Amino acid sequence: MPAARISRRRAIQALGGLGLGAMGLLTGGCTFTKGTPPITDVGLDKKPAPGRKTNIEVYSVWGSTVGAGMVNLAKKFEEAQPDIGVRVTYAPAGMGGGAVQQKLFTAIAGGNPPDVGQLVPSQAPQWVELGIMTDLTSRYRAAGLSQDDFFAPVWESITYKGSVWQMQWDADPNFPFFWNKQLFEDSGLDPEKPPKTLEEVDEYSAKILKKSGANVTKIGMIPWDSYGYSNSLFTWGFGFGAEFYDKEREEVTPDHEYSVKALEWIVKYAKSVGGADRVTVTPPGLQLHPFSTGNIGMAPLVAPNYRDIKTNAKDMKIGATLLPFEPPGAKAPGAGAWIGGWGMFIPATARHKDEAWEFLRWVGATDEGTKAQWETVGFPPGYRKAAVLAEIRDDPVMAPFYDVLTTATNIRPPVPVADFYFTQLDEQISNAVLGLSTPIQALRTVKKNVMGEWDRFRKEVEA
């Protein structure tokens, strides 16, 4: 890939300004709401430690405690060695569903990039094609790092066309499956027996369902709202055995047989309760995940939501297991799980690539750095040999997420128009759930639009 400074025009392409849609979505999987501007940005930047031979600049997209954690992580790196100082610059993404890292792209286009940037791993193919990223393959090799050192989905995420482009320091396990034992018991279900298949989910849901007039007051599950429409289809689609990308043919496959079956199931579930708009299980002003109300029987959850519920609803009896699946496409519980997260990369025009690599390697592929990251930022590492994984395994809150981290095999499709793909899924799945289109119509529309955008992107890159 070219290492030359990219033009402002090409940077705008990566931002989505020429039809790429909502590029730079900050879902990362869905561990936290990333990049939301905090009430104050105090504590989200730091100057490099004095007296260092070289200073690098690291862009951080996060506000709140996560952003403060990134600052503390940089301080720990400085404490671990005497030569490299770290400047952390708060570079939030924009607001809205299609948030973009405008400060990052402006800096790259202007020839003044940071030494380290952040990205959702699925964004890498597009950014590589635009010449924005540095090929790290030789640095991985020199450090003795290989495929065996990382969880399989993480290695798939960080590689593209035979090269390694990023360090995935956050491996987000999406999702364990939780159930409300008290609601199970109240509904005549065995509180110690969660469903293993989606057919059983339907059976359990029929017993849990309660209505007040036309409105749903208790529901088995809300399968169209597993952290957004697209994430819902990835989760339950994988749970049916779907594939969303044909790597050999370079083709997205949202209309795969089992993707269609998954969306048909989601739509049928919504209709079975009277429609998605009839679900009224959450009181106004609720600050916790809706599962905390006790009105939802089963839900996939991310770690912060689960931790908040355990902290604030101490009397709630919750069970945890792997996601239900549906044969014959899927073969076992947990088939629907996938790994999201965040990676760090070195811009192609960065000035201090050697020092930036030392920061990436320390944070994402050493025992000391992965432990420091867990203690400051708090995300599970993608480095499967990290000693801190034992702490995560033994943590009563994180144990279900450790199980997913070590067994999941899926990632969201790493294609050069990934974020456009996800946005199209959000739009069209919403239409299907609301009855504005059939599942197959919705998914065929996604394929048509995404393949058209991919063709357009290829022409732009080749121009």
Side-chain angles (χ1 to χ4, degrees):
M1 286 296 100
R5 172 173 154 181
I6 66 169
S7 68
R8 181 172 295 275
R9 177 172 176 268
R10 296 190 81 194
I12 291 173
Q13 288 176 4
L15 287 169
L18 295 177
L20 287 178
M23 302 308 297
L25 284 169
L26 295 181
T27 52
C30 29
T31 303
F32 289 87
T33 302
K34 315 275 208 272
T36 303
I39 296 174
T40 174
D41 59 6
V42 173
L44 303 180
D45 298 285
K46 75 172 286 293
K47 295 179 180 180
R52 301 303 173 104
K53 294 179 181 178
T54 306
N55 293 325
I56 63 171
E57 183 175 27
V58 175
Y59 271 17
S60 169
V61 300
W62 296 282
S64 191
T65 56
V66 180
M70 186 60 65
V71 167
N72 289 328
L73 177 61
K75 290 178 180 178
K76 284 185 174 289
F77 173 71
E78 289 175 331
E79 294 169 0
Q81 48 74 47
D83 296 326
I84 305 170
V86 181
R87 179 185 302 278
V88 176
T89 299
Y90 177 50
M95 296 294 287
V100 296
Q101 295 192 54
Q102 186 156 2
K103 185 168 184 173
L104 171 66
F105 279 86
T106 299
I108 291 174
N112 188 33
D115 298 294
V116 175
Q118 311 281 349
L119 81 166
V120 176
S122 58
Q123 293 170 323
Q126 187 196 38
W127 295 13
V128 168
E129 296 293 348
L130 288 168
I132 291 171
M133 301 175 71
T134 296
D135 187 339
L136 302 177
T137 307
S138 62
R139 298 179 188 275
Y140 268 76
R141 188 179 299 117
L145 296 171
S146 68
Q147 182 174 352
D148 292 340
D149 294 302
F150 300 89
F151 294 110
V154 170
W155 186 257
E156 185 178 0
S157 290
I158 67 177
T159 55
Y160 178 65
K161 292 187 174 179
S163 296
V164 191
W165 298 94
Q166 57 181 301
M167 177 65 73
Q168 188 169 342
W169 56 275
D170 161 28
D172 187 5
N174 301 311
F175 305 91
F177 187 73
F178 299 90
W179 76 96
N180 181 332
K181 293 186 177 183
Q182 187 60 56
L183 186 53
F184 267 43
E185 188 172 346
D186 294 345
S187 304
L189 297 166
D190 184 342
E192 302 302 327
K193 186 181 178 183
K196 291 186 177 180
T197 66
L198 293 175
E199 182 178 357
E200 289 179 343
V201 167
D202 290 339
E203 294 171 3
Y204 286 31
S205 295
K207 294 185 177 181
I208 293 171
L209 181 65
K210 295 287 185 295
K211 290 187 174 183
S212 176
N215 292 331
V216 175
T217 57
K218 292 190 186 298
I219 192 169
M221 193 168 69
I222 308 178
W224 58 89
D225 193 21
S226 300
Y227 298 90
Y229 288 116
S230 59
N231 284 338
S232 297
L233 187 64
F234 288 132
T235 301
W236 304 119
F238 289 137
F240 268 82
E243 297 178 2
F244 292 92
Y245 168 49
D246 187 325
K247 185 175 182 179
E248 297 303 318
R249 298 176 64 181
E250 292 194 340
E251 180 179 26
V252 296
T253 56
D255 57 345
H256 185 278
E257 174 188 1
Y258 290 120
S259 303
V260 176
K261 287 183 180 298
L263 186 53
E264 288 174 342
W265 173 73
I266 291 170
V267 169
K268 182 180 178 182
Y269 194 108
K271 289 181 179 178
S272 75
V273 301
D277 59 336
R278 291 297 183 179
V279 179
T280 57
V281 298
T282 305
L286 181 69
Q287 298 297 308
L288 299 175
H289 187 279
F291 184 69
S292 67
T293 63
N295 297 326
I296 301 173
M298 301 163 281
L301 294 174
V302 297
N305 288 158
Y306 183 46
R307 190 181 297 277
D308 286 346
I309 292 170
K310 295 289 285 184
T311 300
N312 294 284
K314 291 184 172 65
D315 294 334
M316 193 172 180
K317 298 177 181 177
I318 304 173
T321 188
L322 297 175
L323 287 165
F325 74 109
E326 190 60 25
K331 306 303 181 185
W338 50 279
I339 300 298
W342 281 83
M344 293 181 181
F345 77 102
I346 302 173
T349 51
R351 293 176 175 81
H352 305 108
K353 292 184 179 181
D354 291 343
E355 293 82 3
W357 165 249
E358 288 305 310
F359 181 73
L360 265 63
R361 185 187 64 81
W362 183 83
V363 169
T366 67
D367 280 341
E368 183 181 17
T370 51
K371 181 176 176 62
Q373 187 274 117
W374 173 248
E375 292 175 345
T376 54
V377 184
F379 294 172
Y383 179 54
R384 73 177 186 87
K385 296 180 179 180
V388 75
L389 287 169
E391 294 182 26
I392 296 172
R393 178 196 63 207
D394 296 337
D395 183 303
V397 171
M398 288 303 300
F401 298 90
Y402 174 87
D403 292 341
V404 173
L405 178 63
T406 55
T407 59
T409 59
N410 302 305
I411 60 172
R412 295 186 299 179
V415 298
V417 288
D419 289 335
F420 183 86
Y421 188 4
F422 306 158
T423 302
Q424 285 292 303
L425 284 171
D426 284 331
E427 293 176 2
Q428 296 302 324
I429 294 168
S430 173
N431 287 342
V433 170
L434 295 175
L436 302 178
S437 65
T438 66
I440 187 62
Q441 287 171 340
L443 296 177
R444 283 176 176 168
T445 297
V446 172
K447 181 166 187 172
K448 178 183 176 182
N449 291 348
V450 174
M451 291 308 298
E453 180 61 20
W454 198 344
D455 287 341
R456 190 207 64 77
F457 177 76
R458 285 192 184 103
K459 293 175 183 177
E460 289 285 353
V461 171
E462 293 169 359

